[in-house]
């Protein structure tokens, strides 16, 4: 972490077998950022009409919507994979960051017909996603798996919002994404959720 923060290369002889070079991690962060933009674009196109209606029913303002970067994954098995491949991103990399799943050599979108909640770290990098259905389908939430850039135990949803606060004397920890967003909507911004 410190080497990455100082932009220093760690000598190969001291690296663990699970070490991922910074340049490979940067590719992963870039893919996650592109995916978040794609989900966001979908939310404001015709395909996202039901998602926008759901968000409106939940009383989420445009300001809070933007603060958390909500988006929408369309009800399609391959749109994100296809979009990313057109940008030169391999299916294997999409699988590695949890945006695609694989079965019998075929890759498909991991998230379908869900409101998308980007999980943003303290350094403003998108490290994962949570996807919520808009009906009674199960599972209600589908989350990114553990990846080289996302570890649920070491991150909190909403942590990026603390960057703009001058002081943080106390934090409320809540259960989920919508709890954090609802409290932000009500004006209480010192709130995070476990992952």
């Amino acid at each position: 972490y410190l080497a990455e923060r100082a932009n220093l290369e760690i000598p190969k002889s001291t690296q663990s077998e699970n070490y991922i070079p910074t340049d490979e991690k940067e590719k992963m962060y870039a893919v996650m950022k592109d995916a978040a933009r794609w989900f966001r674009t979908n939310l404001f196109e015709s395909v996202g009409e039901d998602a926008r209606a759901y968000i409106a029913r939940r009383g989420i303002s445009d300001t809070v919507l933007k603060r958390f970067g909500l988006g929408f994954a369309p009800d399609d098995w391959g749109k994100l994979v296809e979009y990313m491949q057109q940008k030169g991103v391999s299916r294997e990399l999409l699988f590695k960051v949890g945006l695609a799943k694989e079965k019998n050599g075929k890759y498909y979108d991991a998230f379908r017909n869900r409101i998308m909640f980007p999980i943003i770290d303290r350094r403003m990098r998108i490290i994962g996603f949570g996807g919520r259905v808009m009906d009674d389908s199960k599972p209600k939430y589908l989350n990114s798996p553990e990846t080289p850039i996302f570890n649920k135990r070491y991150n909190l949803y909403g942590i990026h919002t603390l960057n703009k606060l001058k002081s943080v004397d106390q934090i409320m920890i809540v259960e989920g994404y919508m709890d954090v967003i609802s409290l932000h909507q009500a004006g209480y911004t010192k709130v995070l959720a476990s992952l």
Side-chain angles (χ1 to χ4, degrees), residues 122 161-171 189-190:
R122 193 72 190 254
T161 63
L162 299 183
N163 289 345
K164 294 182 180 183
L165 300 178
K166 291 183 181 180
S167 68
V168 180
D169 53 347
Q170 60 181 323
I171 296 287
T189 57
K190 297 177 182 177

Side-chain angles (χ1 to χ4, degrees), residues 38 47 73-80 82 108-113:
W38 187 77
V47 71
D75 193 10
D76 190 285
W77 288 86
K79 289 282 188 200
L80 178 62
E82 179 183 318
Y108 59 94
D109 294 359
F111 298 97
R112 294 173 306 283
N113 198 31

Side-chain angles (χ1 to χ4, degrees), residues 17-188:
E17 61 187 53
N18 296 328
Y19 174 74
I20 305 284
T22 299
D23 58 334
E24 190 173 338
K25 282 187 175 181
E26 291 305 320
K27 287 179 190 173
M28 292 177 184
Y29 293 129
V31 166
M32 299 303 266
K33 187 175 183 178
D34 279 347
R37 285 183 181 142
W38 187 77
F39 291 137
R40 178 109 174 127
T41 299
N42 288 331
L43 180 62
F44 293 102
E45 292 186 353
S46 59
V47 71
E49 186 176 347
D50 290 343
R52 288 192 310 276
Y54 175 86
I55 289 168
R57 281 194 307 274
R58 296 295 299 257
I60 300 169
S61 70
D62 288 343
T63 303
V64 172
L65 184 75
K66 184 177 178 182
R67 184 179 305 155
F68 289 93
L70 271 57
F72 179 68
D75 193 10
D76 190 285
W77 288 86
K79 289 282 188 200
L80 178 62
V81 170
E82 179 183 318
Y83 169 78
M84 288 296 200
Q85 283 192 284
Q86 289 172 356
K87 294 188 73 138
V89 177
S90 71
R91 296 173 305 174
E92 292 79 13
L93 182 54
L94 292 173
F95 177 79
K96 196 170 192 175
V97 296
L99 290 171
K101 294 187 177 185
E102 183 269 336
K103 185 173 184 177
N104 299 327
K106 296 188 190 251
Y107 291 83
Y108 59 94
D109 294 359
F111 298 97
R112 294 173 306 283
N113 198 31
R114 291 175 181 273
I115 294 175
M116 299 301 294
F117 298 83
I119 300 167
I120 305 168
D121 72 6
R122 193 72 190 254
R123 296 172 69 190
M124 301 302 290
R125 300 174 301 194
I126 297 170
I127 56 176
F129 289 95
R132 188 193 196 290
V133 295
M134 298 167 288
D135 55 21
D136 294 329
S137 301
K138 300 292 181 198
K140 183 177 178 180
Y141 282 96
L142 185 63
N143 301 304
S144 289
E146 301 270 325
T147 71
I149 61 171
F150 178 53
N151 186 307
K152 295 172 187 163
R153 291 182 301 272
Y154 299 117
N155 292 285
L156 293 163
Y157 181 73
I159 193 96
H160 71 287
T161 63
L162 299 183
N163 289 345
K164 294 182 180 183
L165 300 178
K166 291 183 181 180
S167 68
V168 180
D169 53 347
Q170 60 181 323
I171 296 287
M172 181 186 297
I173 303 292
V174 295
E175 185 180 0
Y177 310 122
M178 284 305 297
D179 300 325
V180 171
I181 289 171
S182 296
L183 285 164
H184 270 256
Q185 183 66 42
Y188 187 79

